[in-house]
Amino acid sequence: MGTLQLWLAVVGGLVLAAVVGHGIWQTRRANAYARLALKTEPAPLDGAGAAPGLREPSFGEPPAPAPEGEPAVEPAAAALDTAGDAAAFTGVAPPVMPVVMHPRMAAPKVDALIDAVAAIAVDQPVSGELVLAHLPTSRRAGGKSFLIEGLDTDRGEWEPPQPGRYYGELQAGLQLANRLGPLNEIEFSEFVQKIQAFADAIGAMPDFPDMLEEVARGRELDAFASEHDAQLAMRLQARRAAWPLHFVEQHAARHGFVAGATPGRLVLPSPEEGAPPMLALQFDPQAALAEDPSQARISEVTLAFDVPQTPPVDEPFNAWCAAGRALALGLDAVVSDDRGQALQSAAFPTIGQDLEQLYAQLAERDLAAGSAAARRLFS
């Protein structure tokens, strides 16, 4: 072997040894970070949004003063960290919480109370596959949505078209009003065009209601909805320095809030799977979209409650009050209404009484809060 070849072999061996050594060092460093994360990560939250064994903070127990320049941390935070340290030290896993099965929200159905209904007659039962193949690509007419249902020949029930079923009748329902306003003539005409094309494709005959009558119904329904729509909101503003984003998210998570579908929004899920959230905690979306979220700061959040979307049996008003008080204490925040006026504790009973009256008026119109029809109308 020549001298050049010998030197090349030596250099190659040194490079290989360096690569192996670097890989071992990276593995040890990753293991060290994993042990550190296990030791410092808060204990997992249970289904109610609070760590097992912890109670809600009391207004009679204000948080201890924090070091200058840092936001205050309520006593529950120390308990969370202690629980995490104990689990890491003892190696004992926390108890497995039972899986809670929540009822699933039913699919929306055509409702003559809030829909302009067009009957679609067929000469003989048509298959679900045929119906699905020719459904309009967009079930919207302007700003209004519409539904198409079939009457199952075996079960005798109206349902959204499904494969493997046969339907002896069909119907389409165009929503008369929503939060964008009442149905107008242009939207009704677009609905007629789409349903006529659908009916022609499956060999059916549609029967549309009178346009002027349905538009008038839409205006009347919109007037009622405008008078009985309500979305409660309380603003929580930092008493001193702006909060770090992760600090707000940490406190919200302890009370059951999770990330929403859009930036700058945390939600308290409904007990009903697939239903609109019970509460929403909103803040500046720019903070959530910051390149470095750890450096993001916010000085105000809004806790909102959409009244017609949540049934009273879930006690959303009580949840709104409790979450607002707990977050105000934990974040050391000033509480005000959506106009910036201070919101005192004495105001909440009055708000609750007004809310009960609103619930009664909605139920009297067969639009009870949290019902399928109310959720569609107030959307």
Side-chain angles (χ1 to χ4, degrees), residues 201-273:
I202 64 172
M205 179 67 68
D207 181 17
F208 297 101
D210 183 80
M211 180 180 69
L212 295 181
E213 291 182 3
E214 297 306 316
V215 168
R217 286 181 61 211
R219 290 172 181 164
E220 190 275 333
L221 185 61
D222 178 70
F224 172 85
S226 299
E227 294 175 0
H228 297 82
D229 199 356
Q231 298 180 64
L232 302 184
M234 70 172 77
R235 295 167 60 184
L236 306 176
Q237 297 171 296
R239 196 181 298 273
R240 290 186 287 271
W243 308 303
L245 175 58
H246 67 83
F247 177 72
V248 175
E249 293 174 335
Q250 179 188 42
H251 279 275
R254 289 177 186 155
H255 301 290
F257 286 83
V258 298
T262 57
R265 180 178 168 89
L266 304 173
V267 298
L268 182 66
S270 168
E272 187 179 7
E273 184 183 355

Side-chain angles (χ1 to χ4, degrees), residues 2-321:
T3 303
L4 178 59
Q5 291 176 321
L6 179 60
W7 278 108
L8 289 175
V10 171
V11 172
L14 291 175
V15 171
L16 179 60
V19 171
V20 173
H22 180 72
I24 295 173
W25 176 74
Q26 289 277 39
T27 301
R28 289 181 177 176
R29 187 174 70 164
N31 290 338
Y33 281 141
R35 288 193 297 271
L36 180 60
L38 177 63
K39 183 177 180 180
T40 59
E41 185 177 5
L45 302 179
D46 64 11
L54 297 183
R55 60 184 176 84
E56 294 291 338
S58 167
F59 277 104
E61 301 172 356
E68 185 175 355
E70 294 184 10
V73 178
E74 58 187 293
L80 280 170
D81 292 340
T82 302
D85 289 344
F89 178 76
T90 62
V92 178
V96 178
M97 301 302 293
V99 177
V100 179
M101 300 300 292
H102 297 297
R104 182 165 184 80
M105 184 179 69
K109 300 181 71 66
V110 173
D111 188 337
L113 180 65
I114 62 169
D115 289 320
V117 182
I120 306 173
V122 293
D123 293 333
Q124 58 185 3
V126 294
S127 67
E129 288 81 358
L130 177 65
V131 175
L132 290 170
H134 295 284
L135 285 177
T137 54
S138 170
R139 254 94 67 200
R140 295 195 68 84
K144 306 298 181 293
S145 63
F146 63 85
L147 303 173
I148 296 178
E149 294 179 340
L151 183 63
D152 187 280
T153 55
D154 293 331
R155 298 183 298 117
E157 296 181 2
W158 290 98
E159 66 179 18
Q162 300 181 41
R165 305 283 179 85
Y166 281 85
Y167 301 104
E169 298 178 45
L170 297 166
Q171 65 179 6
L174 173 64
Q175 195 163 322
L176 293 170
N178 57 19
R179 280 176 170 159
L180 296 178
L183 176 69
N184 59 45
E185 290 85 351
I186 296 176
E187 292 170 328
F188 188 91
S189 299
E190 184 179 346
F191 168 70
V192 169
Q193 292 176 1
K194 289 187 174 183
I195 297 304
Q196 184 65 63
F198 164 72
D200 292 343
I202 64 172
M205 179 67 68
D207 181 17
F208 297 101
D210 183 80
M211 180 180 69
L212 295 181
E213 291 182 3
E214 297 306 316
V215 168
R217 286 181 61 211
R219 290 172 181 164
E220 190 275 333
L221 185 61
D222 178 70
F224 172 85
S226 299
E227 294 175 0
H228 297 82
D229 199 356
Q231 298 180 64
L232 302 184
M234 70 172 77
R235 295 167 60 184
L236 306 176
Q237 297 171 296
R239 196 181 298 273
R240 290 186 287 271
W243 308 303
L245 175 58
H246 67 83
F247 177 72
V248 175
E249 293 174 335
Q250 179 188 42
H251 279 275
R254 289 177 186 155
H255 301 290
F257 286 83
V258 298
T262 57
R265 180 178 168 89
L266 304 173
V267 298
L268 182 66
S270 168
E272 187 179 7
E273 184 183 355
M278 185 181 297
L279 304 177
L281 189 67
Q282 304 170 76
F283 53 89
D284 183 5
Q286 295 301 320
L289 296 172
E291 293 184 3
D292 185 0
S294 65
Q295 299 300 317
R297 297 288 188 275
I298 53 178
S299 58
E300 178 182 312
V301 296
T302 300
L303 183 64
F305 161 35
D306 195 335
V307 175
Q309 293 289 329
T310 309
V313 68
D314 291 343
E315 299 186 346
F317 178 68
N318 290 343
W320 181 70
C321 294

